[in-house]
């Protein structure tokens, strides 16, 4: 049975959505084409009509997830969030406990360095876009000071979220989030 162009486009979107979730939940090496296609409700063979390889899908998924505008609004639920709103929402138990819909940077950041160039390029471009958005929220006297603070803030946010997910003590995990949110809020 022949698939229409519209259906093929819808299938591609579904694969990208599923891959975005699974990538954040399991990492680059924790997912396979068969897993993605099964979760998308499509056949394994159909994958290669949409993508040249798993690496191609990883690069496109990374670009798509990190390229979505309005990440602060999705994170906070506020149309015009403050710097403090973003910090508190990023370092929340809700964000920590739902990596599949959370920040791709904290979910796969440490794995990105070992990925093909196309994935790293998409990651870098997406990171730059996140920093540019954060620069608009952080206080500072100059553009350079705000950029420096945005870079340090993002590093603190990502690091704290990774650590809070890594420890097996729930109280320590909450303490990491709270201490980091408090410290970043002082800057």
């Amino acid at each position: 049975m022949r698939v229409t162009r519209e259906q093929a486009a819808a299938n591609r979107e579904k694969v990208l959505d599923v891959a975005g979730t699974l990538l954040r939940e399991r990492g680059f090496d924790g997912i396979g084409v068969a897993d993605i296609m099964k979760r998308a409700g499509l056949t394994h063979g159909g994958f290669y009509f949409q993508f040249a390889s798993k690496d191609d899908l990883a690069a496109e998924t990374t670009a798509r997830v990190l390229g979505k505008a309005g990440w602060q609004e999705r994170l906070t639920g506020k149309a015009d969030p403050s710097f403090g709103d973003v910090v508190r929402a990023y370092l929340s138990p809700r964000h920590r406990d739902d990596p599949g819909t959370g920040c791709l940077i904290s979910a796969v950041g440490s794995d990105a360095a070992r990925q093909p160039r196309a994935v790293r390029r998409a990651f870098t471009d997406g990171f730059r876009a996140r920093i540019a958005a954060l620069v608009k929220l952080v206080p500072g006297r100059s553009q350079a000071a705000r950029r420096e603070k945005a870079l340090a803030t993002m590093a603190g946010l990502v690091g704290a979220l990774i650590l809070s997910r890594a420890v097996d003590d729930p109280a320590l995990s909450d303490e990491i989030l709270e201490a980091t949110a408090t410290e970043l809020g002082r800057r």
Side-chain angles (χ1 to χ4, degrees), residues 6-179:
E6 293 80 18
Q7 187 59 52
N11 289 347
R12 182 180 179 79
E13 292 297 311
K14 191 169 192 176
V15 170
L16 287 166
D17 287 342
V18 167
T21 299
L22 290 176
L23 181 60
R24 288 176 280 194
E25 288 175 353
R26 301 181 192 171
F28 292 106
D29 296 330
I31 59 172
V33 170
D35 296 327
I36 295 166
M37 296 307 282
K38 182 177 180 182
R39 174 106 36 116
L42 300 168
T43 64
H44 182 271
F47 176 84
Y48 296 100
F49 288 110
Q50 302 285 345
F51 304 96
S53 66
K54 182 182 169 193
D55 288 345
D56 180 42
L57 172 64
E60 191 168 336
T61 300
T62 299
R64 178 186 171 114
V65 171
L66 291 178
K68 287 184 178 177
W71 65 272
Q72 307 100 318
E73 183 176 340
R74 286 189 309 279
L75 180 66
T76 65
K78 296 181 178 183
D80 192 21
S82 69
F83 173 72
D85 293 334
V86 170
V87 168
R88 285 286 169 189
Y90 195 98
L91 296 175
S92 69
R94 180 183 63 82
H95 189 214
R96 174 198 59 209
D97 298 342
D98 190 13
T101 62
C103 178
L104 181 84
I105 295 168
S106 62
V108 300
S110 60
D111 292 338
R114 292 178 291 282
Q115 297 306 305
R117 183 167 178 73
V119 174
R120 293 186 68 209
R121 171 59 40 210
F123 190 91
T124 301
D125 291 346
F127 180 79
R128 283 188 173 124
R130 295 286 170 103
I131 293 301
L134 199 54
V135 163
K136 295 174 184 174
L137 297 177
V138 298
R141 289 192 168 96
S142 68
Q143 177 72 12
R146 287 191 306 276
R147 180 171 170 76
E148 183 176 293
K149 183 170 182 167
L151 287 164
T153 297
M154 185 59 82
L157 292 172
V158 170
L161 196 60
I162 289 170
L163 290 172
S164 73
R165 287 175 175 162
V167 299
D168 70 350
D169 178 346
L172 178 57
S173 178
D174 289 342
E175 190 178 10
I176 291 166
L177 295 177
E178 185 57 37

